[in-house]
């Protein structure tokens, strides 16, 4: 019968099998080539072993032919040798037919070798070398450039100037390019110089630049405010105007309770000390309202000195600002800072003061600042104050 010849167990084998030893050369060769191409690993699988173990009647994971079973093994196929291995069944199946030579073993093309186009596994020593190179690239020692001024861990000069309020970093770089900045007495001619704001002396146009750690304020003190930062009696004091400041501030000098005008507040202790020390002779200017008529030599008397109970007191400058009938507004400038010094001098000369306002403290003028207003001094004003006391 015709069916008996198709299903027999002779050497011809099934026409769908991969290892039929007696298949026809032409037809079997084409079908085996297709199976070989279909058995190659896909690109995403080329670095992994994706095949299953072959066994009797076992089937490849990619849908390859059975190998090692009784129906596929003929005298020439040698399929029984691949039983239990991950070679021929995992990487394309056994090759059958007289042309392909269906041998399976360590040296065969379908054996336990990696598929064509598959990258070989890298040794562990090579991976360790790559890891060391990556670490060396990211852990390079920091290059320290030579410095001109200050400590090696200082800040860039333009950054310090910008933080001090001299402008943006770009504007501060332009100041350096214009040779207007000096550090420790030397004009800076290049960018990138590092400085220590706490130790180095930085000046712009000859005026010292204060760092951010120092605060400088000017207050127009109203009448009735006590010149202390805290008052145990609960009266209004200078501390009421700076209660939201985290840094402790000091008032520079004093004004009596009924005297109005400018008073400075800062946390720069050395500057506050020098501004009030008689050695530096910082001048203060006052406007006093008195009643006339005034003698012509009143200014000369004040400049020559008025005898007070604690010694002579002399004015540096005196002039009449305004006169309306008997009401006079006079300006008195002096460098002394004794208690109630202006009131006592004019009262000793015969002209008691009705109202007194301090209009300037050194180079810092009151201007049109309203009573009770607190303002932050500019860098130029701070520089002029420091130059006044040789800081």
């Amino acid at each position: 019968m015709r069916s008996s010849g198709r299903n027999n167990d002779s050497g011809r084998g099934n026409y769908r099998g991969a290892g039929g030893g007696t298949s026809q050369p032409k037809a079997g060769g084409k079908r085996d080539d297709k199976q070989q191409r279909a058995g190659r690993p896909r690109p995403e699988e080329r670095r992994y072993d994706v095949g299953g173990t072959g066994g009797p009647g076992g089937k490849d994971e990619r849908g390859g032919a059975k190998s090692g079973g009784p129906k596929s093994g003929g005298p020439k196929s040698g399929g029984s040798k691949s039983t239990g291995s991950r070679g021929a069944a995992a990487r394309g199946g056994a090759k059958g037919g007289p042309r392909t030579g269906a041998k399976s073993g360590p040296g065969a093309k379908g054996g336990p070798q990696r598929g064509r186009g598959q990258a070989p596994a890298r040794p562990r020593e090579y991976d360790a070398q790559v890891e060391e190179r990556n670490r060396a690239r990211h852990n390079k020692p920091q290059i320290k450039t030579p410095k001109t001024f200050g400590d090696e861990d200082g800040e860039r000069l333009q950054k310090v100037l910008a933080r001090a309020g001299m402008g943006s970093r770009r504007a501060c770089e332009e100041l350096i390019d214009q040779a207007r900045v000096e550090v420790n007495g030397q004009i800076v001619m290049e960018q990138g110089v590092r400085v220590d704001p706490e130790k180095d002396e930085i000046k712009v146009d000859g005026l010292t630049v204060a760092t951010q750690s120092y605060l400088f304020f000017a207050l127009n003190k109203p009448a009735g405010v006590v010149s202390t930062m805290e008052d145990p009696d609960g009266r209004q004091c200078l501390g009421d105007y700076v209660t939201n400041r985290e840094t402790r501030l000091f008032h520079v000098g004093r004004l009596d309770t009924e005297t109005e005008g400018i008073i400075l507040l800062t946390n720069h202790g050395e500057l506050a000390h020098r501004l009030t020390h008689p050695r530096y002779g910082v001048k203060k200017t006052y406007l006093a309202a008195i009643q006339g008529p005034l003698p012509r030599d009143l200014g000369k008397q004040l400049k020559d000195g008025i005898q007070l109970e604690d010694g002579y007191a002399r004015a540096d400058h005196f002039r009449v600002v305004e006169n309306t009938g008997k009401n006079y507004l006079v300006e008195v400038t002096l460098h002394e800072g004794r208690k109630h010094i202006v009131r006592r001098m004019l009262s000793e000369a015969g002209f008691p003061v009705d109202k007194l306002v301090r209009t300037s403290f050194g180079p810092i003028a009151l201007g049109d600042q309203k009573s009770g207003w607190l303002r932050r001094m500019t860098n130029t004003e701070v520089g002029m104050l420091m130059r006044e006391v040789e800081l």
Side-chain angles (χ1 to χ4, degrees), residues 103-343:
K103 269 203 235 177
S104 64
K109 291 184 179 179
Q113 295 181 353
R114 294 185 177 269
R116 190 173 6 172
Q118 184 174 359
R122 295 188 302 188
R124 295 182 180 180
E125 293 80 3
Y126 181 76
D127 290 337
Q129 293 176 3
V130 172
E131 183 67 20
E132 290 181 2
R133 285 198 298 268
N134 290 337
R135 290 183 180 180
R137 184 169 66 250
H138 293 288
N139 297 331
K140 290 182 179 180
Q142 186 178 4
I143 300 176
K144 296 183 178 181
T145 57
K147 292 184 60 207
T148 308
F149 305 103
D151 190 12
E152 289 186 356
D153 297 330
E155 299 181 72
R156 292 185 181 275
L157 179 57
Q158 60 267 32
K159 182 178 178 180
V160 175
L161 293 176
R163 191 178 62 213
M166 299 303 297
S168 64
R169 292 193 185 182
R170 178 58 184 164
C172 295
E173 290 176 358
E174 293 179 358
L175 291 176
I176 297 174
D177 292 336
Q178 297 169 4
R180 298 170 57 185
V181 183
E182 59 180 281
V183 179
N184 298 331
Q186 301 180 20
I187 297 178
V188 180
M189 302 299 296
E190 59 182 6
Q191 301 291 341
V193 173
R194 293 184 175 270
V195 297
D196 186 350
E198 301 297 332
K199 299 178 181 179
D200 295 326
E201 183 183 26
I202 306 172
K203 292 185 178 182
V204 176
D205 296 332
L207 300 178
T208 303
V209 177
T211 60
Q212 192 178 16
S213 57
Y214 295 119
L215 300 175
F216 305 89
F217 295 95
L219 171 68
N220 186 357
K221 186 187 87 65
V225 178
V226 183
S227 294
T228 58
M229 301 307 294
E230 296 180 359
D231 185 67
D233 299 331
R235 296 174 293 178
Q236 189 176 9
C237 61
L238 301 177
D240 297 334
Y241 294 90
V242 291
T243 52
N244 59 339
R245 305 293 171 183
E246 297 180 359
T247 305
R248 182 184 177 187
L249 299 176
F250 309 94
H251 56 90
V252 181
R254 290 178 178 270
L255 287 175
D256 60 86
T257 304
E258 297 305 320
T259 301
E260 306 175 24
I262 188 170
I263 187 168
L264 306 183
L265 303 172
T266 182
N267 60 347
H268 198 303
E270 181 62 23
L271 177 63
H273 170 71
R274 294 195 182 193
L275 288 173
T276 56
H277 199 281
R279 170 187 172 185
Y280 298 97
V282 179
K283 296 181 179 181
K284 281 80 69 175
T285 301
Y286 298 83
L287 282 178
I290 59 177
Q291 298 290 324
L294 301 182
R296 292 185 177 180
D297 62 343
L298 178 59
K300 185 175 183 302
Q301 295 178 29
L302 296 175
K303 291 179 182 179
D304 291 341
I306 301 294
Q307 179 66 43
L308 302 178
E309 56 187 15
D310 54 353
Y312 273 92
R314 295 180 176 84
D316 297 317
H317 179 72
F318 175 85
R319 72 183 181 96
V320 177
V321 177
E322 185 179 329
N323 172 223
T324 304
K326 292 184 178 181
N327 299 321
Y328 284 83
L329 187 63
V330 298
E331 182 181 82
V332 181
T333 302
L334 69 167
H335 60 271
E336 296 190 44
R338 283 182 278 176
K339 186 177 180 179
H340 306 308
I341 185 68
V342 177
R343 292 180 181 271

